[in-house]
Amino acid sequence: MKTLLTFLFLLFSSSLVAEDISDFQIEGFSIGDSLLDYFSKKEIYSSKENISFRSKKFYAIGICKNCQIDNYSLDVYDALQIYLKLNDEKYIIHSIVGGIYFDNNINNCLKQRNLITDELKTFFTGATLDFEGKFDQPEDKSGKSTVHSKRFKLASNGYVTIACYDWSKKMQPYRDHLRVQLSSNEIFNWVMNEAY
């Protein structure tokens, strides 16, 4: 049974637990789903994001409340990124990132991140805290933009990351936001070792 991962409250009973990343959804999407179940190939390609990855093994599409894919309504998040493998004819989802804007309000973002983190601990059995910390956002060479992140490794497959991005004013149009990310092991290893 799939479980909906929402912004503040995780909508499931206290008796439900999960071990696999594909047991959860963000805005109706789950790791392992085919994106073709939601969008046409034309819609997918028209929403492809222009991100310069060193390795081209995966790519991202963007969905937001005012984006090109206009037949999909976001209920909880302001924007989504969905990662697909290049040349995969089935368009299998490998990572889902949900973002909620917290313009100039990092304290509220951190409160929401901590609430979501506490909820996740009760539902992912066997999950271990893999990383917790604050680091400089590499895109801001001044060192004034930071990320406050908590990452969990699931017992069977995948990672869940909950982070607050606090951008300096000089980095506009980037916006402060909460990010909830579900990732398969394969794409996590790609990000850590190949993408950048």
Side-chain angles (χ1 to χ4, degrees):
M1 178 169 93
K2 305 272 185 193
T3 301
L4 176 65
L5 186 58
T6 64
F7 171 48
L8 175 56
F9 299 104
L10 300 175
L11 301 177
F12 37 52
S13 72
S14 60
S15 63
L16 182 65
V17 293
E19 294 184 10
D20 192 84
I21 196 80
S22 64
D23 291 335
F24 283 81
Q25 298 179 345
I26 293 180
E27 293 282 1
F29 300 100
S30 293
I31 303 297
D33 288 353
S34 170
L35 200 58
L36 291 176
D37 292 340
Y38 305 91
F39 305 116
S40 68
K41 290 180 183 180
K42 182 179 178 183
E43 289 172 314
I44 293 169
Y45 285 115
S46 70
S47 297
K48 191 173 178 181
E49 294 188 339
N50 187 19
I51 303 173
S52 296
F53 296 119
R54 190 181 70 197
S55 163
K56 305 298 183 199
K57 186 175 181 180
F58 290 93
Y59 64 96
I61 68 143
I63 302 170
C64 62
K65 292 189 176 175
N66 298 310
C67 288
Q68 293 176 5
I69 295 181
D70 57 6
N71 67 343
Y72 199 86
S73 175
L74 298 180
D75 296 322
V76 176
Y77 293 90
D78 294 315
L80 294 182
Q81 276 186 322
I82 296 177
Y83 285 81
L84 306 169
K85 189 181 279 188
L86 192 65
N87 299 323
D88 175 12
E89 294 181 11
K90 294 182 180 179
Y91 295 82
I92 300 300
I93 297 171
H94 289 267
S95 182
I96 308 159
V97 183
I100 298 175
Y101 298 124
F102 279 88
D103 293 326
N104 303 313
N105 201 340
I106 192 65
N107 289 332
N108 276 350
C109 183
L110 291 170
K111 287 178 189 174
Q112 299 304 328
R113 182 204 62 176
N114 291 339
L115 288 170
I116 293 171
T117 299
D118 290 344
E119 289 288 329
L120 282 174
K121 289 177 187 176
T122 65
F123 295 104
F124 279 112
T125 61
T128 56
L129 185 63
D130 182 60
F131 174 83
E132 179 175 14
K134 176 182 172 183
F135 56 91
D136 292 342
Q137 178 53 259
E139 294 168 65
D140 183 354
K141 302 304 180 201
S142 74
K144 294 181 179 177
S145 298
T146 57
V147 179
H148 306 257
S149 182
K150 292 185 180 187
R151 183 177 65 226
F152 292 87
K153 180 170 182 8
L154 304 186
S156 62
N157 180 24
Y159 291 82
V160 179
T161 305
I162 307 102
C164 289
Y165 285 68
D166 187 14
W167 292 98
S168 69
K169 287 188 169 52
K170 80 167 212 153
M171 291 301 292
Q172 291 181 351
Y174 292 120
R175 299 170 68 181
D176 299 344
H177 65 280
L178 171 73
R179 185 179 291 189
V180 178
Q181 181 167 359
L182 306 175
S183 300
S184 68
N185 284 343
E186 182 179 9
I187 197 164
F188 177 81
N189 291 330
W190 173 75
V191 168
M192 297 304 286
N193 301 308
E194 299 175 44
Y196 303 100

